[in-house]
Amino acid sequence: MRGQAPDKGLYFPEHIPVFDSSFFHNMEEMEDEEIAYQVIQPYVGEAIPSKILRKIIHETLSFPIPLVKVNENIFSLELFHGPTLAFKDVGARFMSRCLGYFSGQDARRGRTVVLVATSGDTGGAVANGFYNVKGVEVVILYPSGKVSSVQEKQLTTLGKNIHALEVRGNFDDCQLLVKQAFADEALNQKLFLTSANSINIARWLPQQFYYFLAWKQWPHKKHPPVISVPSGNFGNICAGILSHASGLPVQYFIAACNVNDAVPEFLKTGKYQPKKTIPTISNAMDVGDPSNFVRILEIFEEDMSELKRILSASSITDEETKKTIKKIFKQYHYLLDPHGAVGFLSLERYLKKNKELKGFFVETAHPVKFFDVVEPLIEEKIPLPASVQGIMDKKMETTKMEVDYNFLKEFLLKL
Ligand SMILES: *Cc1c(COP(=O)(O)O)cnc(C)c1O
């Protein structure tokens, strides 16, 4: 329920479970939900009864996660078939239902309020994931005029327990307001305030499902895949590496970054230097100081040579990203979004140097979420999926505010 540990560090499992090889051999015969249950159960232990955990998993995996062939050597693991068209749906849905369960268990806690600042994608997934979850109110701060129209609709059209605050400022202002609320002791005595960002283990751990479900579908079982993961805050790839630590067969991981290259630089030079964020067209990966990278170091117990045996990182420019979207659409009629394109190109380059290998990249968002970038490149309109069509005509409800902490505090106390 607490996103960050009290000492401001990140929670990390004391023990990483290891599955026997029969689990991987028999996976094709197993239901997706059973695989997910086996993967997450060791981390949940007795904290959630198994019947309820199965129900949570059932609601989390309510959409397909297909592995699609793009060419002879490259597959795409499509994680964008959820309600907000981005991979964050899985983590957000799992976390929301755990939080709902725990809030219901402890009535003395009073009201649970999830408070998040969003630059676009996280807010939608959190809003959708927590919608109608009993005992939990959600307050989302977003910068006025700086999220896409689809994203704003996703934040503001649900109502009920989801409250959107449109802040006349930028993303950093929103984040600062949220931090002030977490540091306000008087406020925290009245409400149980928690965050839903990607450092929360209930969002991080269930992302392992993707990698196990990809293995179930991987057609070349004798040759484990090279996996390229578009990375920003490094939560998703860290879940992949954790799966590998549990025995999942993987040849190699590539952390595919845009020009925000703190990790690629670190792997090159051995010096970690947080950087100022540079805006790009793959904006969900515009992170100058990725929070979850320390968890990757922890998996390898900070042994750099072990880490480099399984992981490298690449940095791709916007120009290269655009060229890739155009080329792959022309050549294979497969439409990439900017994040997936960074993943594709990084994988293609690696496979060029390692001709005997095959792999997949993770397609983290539906291209329609970035239609303003993608449509001019392919000179075609992208049809809106049904889930988005439904919300585009809905009325937006949002509360406008200045960058003013007292306003936020009053708002939270009145919920
Ligand atoms: C959040 C996000 C990423 C980055 O994922 P991390 O776990 O933060 O590395 C990549 N692509 C899309 C579309 C995202 O929304």
Side-chain angles (χ1 to χ4, degrees):
M1 292 189 76
R2 259 200 239 116
Q4 200 167 35
D7 67 358
K8 310 280 181 219
L10 302 188
Y11 288 109
F12 190 83
E14 286 177 1
H15 170 72
I16 298 174
V18 176
F19 298 100
D20 22 281
S21 54
S22 64
F23 180 56
F24 300 106
H25 282 138
N26 299 332
M27 205 165 269
E28 274 166 62
E29 278 99 69
M30 288 170 80
E31 296 285 339
D32 290 0
E33 288 178 23
E34 180 59 27
I35 295 169
Y37 180 81
Q38 298 292 338
V39 169
I40 205 74
Q41 208 288 326
Y43 294 102
V44 175
E46 312 267 285
I48 301 174
S50 95
K51 219 176 124 186
I52 292 172
L53 182 58
R54 284 185 188 277
K55 183 164 177 275
I56 291 174
I57 288 169
H58 177 71
E59 292 176 6
T60 300
L61 295 179
S62 58
F63 43 86
I65 298 180
L67 184 71
V68 174
K69 187 170 176 173
V70 179
N71 65 28
E72 261 329 290
N73 300 319
I74 298 184
F75 293 71
S76 167
L77 182 66
E78 295 185 348
L79 302 186
F80 57 73
H81 297 282
T84 73
L85 312 179
F87 81 91
K88 292 184 175 69
D89 280 327
V90 163
R93 287 166 88 79
F94 187 85
M95 179 188 167
S96 65
R97 279 141 183 91
C98 291
L99 203 57
Y101 172 72
F102 290 128
S103 311
Q105 288 303 292
D106 188 356
R108 285 162 310 155
R109 242 181 226 287
R111 204 185 273 280
T112 298
V113 178
V114 172
L115 186 61
V116 270
T118 185
S119 56
D121 255 5
T122 295
V126 168
N128 198 286
F130 281 82
Y131 180 57
N132 257 340
V133 172
K134 256 201 242 143
V136 182
E137 300 290 325
V138 177
V139 176
I140 300 168
L141 285 77
Y142 69 97
S144 182
K146 298 204 172 59
V147 301
S148 80
S149 53
V150 175
Q151 287 171 329
E152 189 169 24
K153 288 279 182 182
Q154 288 175 335
L155 297 175
T156 57
T157 56
L158 290 167
K160 286 200 180 167
N161 62 328
I162 311 297
H163 313 275
L165 290 175
E166 180 180 349
V167 179
R168 272 187 272 265
N170 58 26
F171 172 64
D172 293 326
D173 294 323
C174 297
Q175 190 119 27
L176 219 58
L177 287 167
V178 166
K179 283 193 176 152
Q180 265 178 293
F182 282 118
D184 182 338
E185 277 178 33
L187 179 68
N188 282 270
Q189 270 165 12
K190 297 204 177 90
L191 300 168
F192 182 76
L193 265 191
T194 187
S195 142
N197 62 21
S198 71
I199 59 173
N200 190 299
I201 52 159
R203 263 190 67 182
W204 171 48
L205 294 172
Q207 301 188 75
Q208 294 180 95
F209 300 164
Y210 315 138
Y211 299 92
F212 285 87
L213 296 177
W215 176 250
K216 175 182 168 180
Q217 300 171 75
W218 182 244
H220 308 285
K221 292 280 196 298
K222 286 210 180 87
H223 305 282
V226 176
I227 305 178
S228 170
V229 187
S231 295
N233 221 2
F234 280 68
N236 193 357
I237 191 167
C238 185
I241 296 173
L242 185 66
S243 307
H244 179 56
S246 287
L248 185 76
V250 178
Q251 176 69 33
Y252 197 69
F253 285 98
I254 302 165
C257 302
N258 57 31
V259 291
N260 291 282
D261 62 354
V263 170
E265 277 299 306
F266 169 68
L267 291 177
K268 227 188 282 166
T269 64
K271 269 203 217 94
Y272 185 78
Q273 186 80 50
K275 296 196 168 178
K276 249 187 101 153
T277 304
I278 304 165
T280 74
I281 56 169
S282 48
N283 60 9
M285 314 199 297
D286 295 349
V287 182
D289 185 10
S291 322
N292 283 296
F293 188 65
V294 290
R295 281 184 165 142
I296 296 182
L297 293 176
E298 188 67 28
I299 294 174
F300 295 97
E301 296 173 347
E302 313 218 352
D303 181 337
M304 287 303 289
S305 58
E306 279 297 303
L307 177 113
K308 283 186 177 172
R309 259 195 15 211
I310 191 84
L311 173 74
S312 66
S314 61
S315 169
I316 304 288
T317 66
D318 277 358
E319 271 323 298
E320 293 171 316
T321 306
K322 287 185 187 167
K323 259 195 199 151
T324 304
I325 294 173
K326 228 169 153 163
K327 183 177 144 213
I328 299 315
F329 186 69
K330 252 202 183 136
Q331 209 168 347
Y332 305 112
H333 220 75
Y334 189 84
L335 186 54
L336 295 161
D337 97 290
H339 305 77
V342 170
F344 181 96
L345 183 60
S346 304
L347 177 61
E348 187 181 57
R349 284 185 180 164
Y350 186 81
L351 295 181
K352 257 192 197 136
K353 283 189 258 155
N354 297 274
K355 290 222 174 1
E356 73 289 0
L357 301 177
K358 295 179 194 295
F360 68 81
F361 66 98
V362 176
E363 180 45 293
T364 46
H366 193 296
V368 81
K369 277 194 115 164
F370 305 93
F371 68 86
D372 48 339
V373 176
V374 176
E375 284 180 351
L377 292 171
I378 60 165
E379 295 169 21
E380 268 182 41
K381 271 211 123 24
I382 311 170
L384 278 185
S387 61
V388 175
Q389 234 158 29
I391 61 166
M392 289 316 274
D393 306 327
K394 278 201 190 146
K395 198 170 162 291
M396 298 202 285
E397 269 180 54
T398 175
T399 304
K400 289 191 174 38
M401 66 174 281
E402 302 298 327
V403 182
D404 172 5
Y405 176 63
N406 282 325
F407 184 94
L408 176 62
K409 186 169 181 169
E410 290 294 307
F411 186 89
L412 294 172
L413 288 170
K414 273 194 284 193
L415 280 178

